[in-house]
Amino acid sequence: MLKGKTALVTGSTSGIGLGIALALAKQGANVVLNGFGDVDGPRAQVEALGVKVGYHGADMSKPAQIEDMAKYAAAQFGQVDILVNNAGIQHVAPIHDFPPEKWDAIIAINLTSAFHTTRLALPAMRKSNWGRIINVASVHGLVGSAEKSAYVAAKHGIVGLTKVTALENATTGITCNAICPGWVLTPLVQKQVDARASERGVSAEEAKKQLLGEKEPSMQFTTPEELGDLAVFFCSPAGANVRGVAWNMDGGWVAQ
Ligand code: NAD
């Protein structure tokens, strides 16, 4: 379905981004990976699906590096047809103890980077009159939780950016939508599981149950594979007139 298209997925060396990159590659899309840590493993997983794979290590908090990544994608693949703004970090602390540099980093990586990638990808998408922009927000783009001020602010912001991007391109073949996962057991959440286990003196299994029990009625983690399939839907012909939604996949978190 996506043969001949190129997807740039930020933060795709791990977790949800890698899940979405694999799902798009299964549909035939070439993929530009981005992110830190092990690159060879994720690259091999995507390449095994028979598509062309690129990688750029831009730090999403650095606009000049984001511009360099956009140039790399255009030079290697012609253009970006599918942009997935996924890179994100978390820091958990009450506002009165929240380190200002963590606030700045979260806003830069989780929100501002998506403005830059989007402004850089749109001109070519508008020329070809086809594009899919998928912003990985969170249930925290829809509701708040204590001790996550920067994250909740950034995620509400990206839901707003999603709506404006969708509206500005509403008469074109370019759509923009947000995905709002609940708990997904990736390294980002494993850190919160481990912190709770050590603070409360409980096992990791018990800490997971407690986290799910507080927020997620299904008592199940959403998986990167399920989120990848939702991204594929947004890219499919059936998704052509889905514009500006923030679609939660959260085990009932926001229904409460
Ligand atoms: P993860 O830690 O597994 O992956 C994060 C990815 O972002 C990695 O590839 C990492 O290298 C990359 N990254 C981090 N900082 C970067 C930077 N400065 N520049 C470029 N890349 C950077 O986390 P995840 O859980 O897969 O999170 C992915 C996205 O999903 C994030 O935006 C996160 O907020 C969102 N999300 C996660 C959950 C969850 O429960 N895990 C829930 C809702 C939303």
Side-chain angles (χ1 to χ4, degrees):
M1 184 177 77
L2 299 175
K3 210 166 165 40
K5 306 282 191 212
T6 296
L8 167 61
V9 186
T10 70
S12 46
T13 49
S14 169
I16 295 169
L18 180 56
I20 292 176
L22 289 166
L24 296 174
K26 269 188 202 148
Q27 297 298 322
N30 297 323
V31 175
V32 180
L33 296 169
N34 158 261
F36 302 148
D38 174 36
V39 177
D40 293 345
R43 181 196 277 273
Q45 282 185 62
V46 183
E47 267 170 357
L49 296 166
V51 300
K52 201 175 149 199
V53 183
Y55 168 77
H56 193 284
D59 179 335
M60 288 297 114
S61 67
K62 306 271 186 320
Q65 294 186 25
I66 297 173
E67 289 202 17
D68 198 55
M69 180 176 70
K71 282 187 196 140
Y72 164 84
Q76 296 292 315
F77 293 87
Q79 75 174 74
V80 172
D81 306 288
I82 300 165
L83 169 64
V84 183
N85 290 309
N86 166 80
I89 58 168
Q90 175 63 287
H91 186 77
V92 181
I95 294 171
H96 57 266
D97 280 336
F98 210 91
E101 61 278 12
K102 288 280 182 202
W103 171 278
D104 288 344
I106 290 175
I107 299 297
I109 296 165
N110 296 22
L111 175 59
T112 307
S113 72
F115 161 70
H116 289 297
T117 54
T118 300
R119 76 178 170 80
L120 294 164
L122 273 172
M125 288 181 179
R126 289 172 71 96
K127 225 174 187 176
S128 62
N129 198 33
W130 196 93
R132 295 288 182 267
I133 300 173
I134 299 170
N135 292 327
V136 179
S138 165
V139 284
H140 286 119
L142 304 168
V143 295
S145 287
E147 304 199 345
K148 296 186 175 174
S149 54
Y151 189 87
V152 170
K155 295 300 186 181
H156 274 66
I158 205 166
V159 169
L161 176 66
T162 301
K163 291 175 184 172
V164 175
T165 307
L167 291 174
E168 287 183 4
N169 295 283
T171 58
T172 74
I174 304 163
T175 70
C176 179
N177 294 290
I179 293 178
C180 299
W183 290 121
V184 187
L185 194 55
T186 64
L188 182 140
V189 162
Q190 188 64 47
K191 277 187 209 150
Q192 295 173 64
V193 170
D194 296 343
R196 177 176 284 246
S198 79
E199 274 160 25
R200 304 200 177 183
V202 296
S203 67
E205 276 318 298
E206 179 55 27
K208 279 183 209 165
K209 263 194 215 143
Q210 288 180 7
L211 283 178
L212 288 169
E214 281 171 12
K215 301 281 190 183
E216 198 143 325
S218 67
M219 291 300 286
Q220 278 173 14
F221 291 98
T222 300
T223 66
E225 291 74 21
E226 289 164 343
L227 294 162
D229 285 347
L230 180 54
V232 167
F233 168 71
F234 285 139
C235 296
S236 73
N241 206 25
V242 180
R243 296 176 188 270
V245 306
W247 190 318
N248 40 314
M249 202 181 237
D250 63 355
W253 184 322
V254 172
Q256 297 168 96

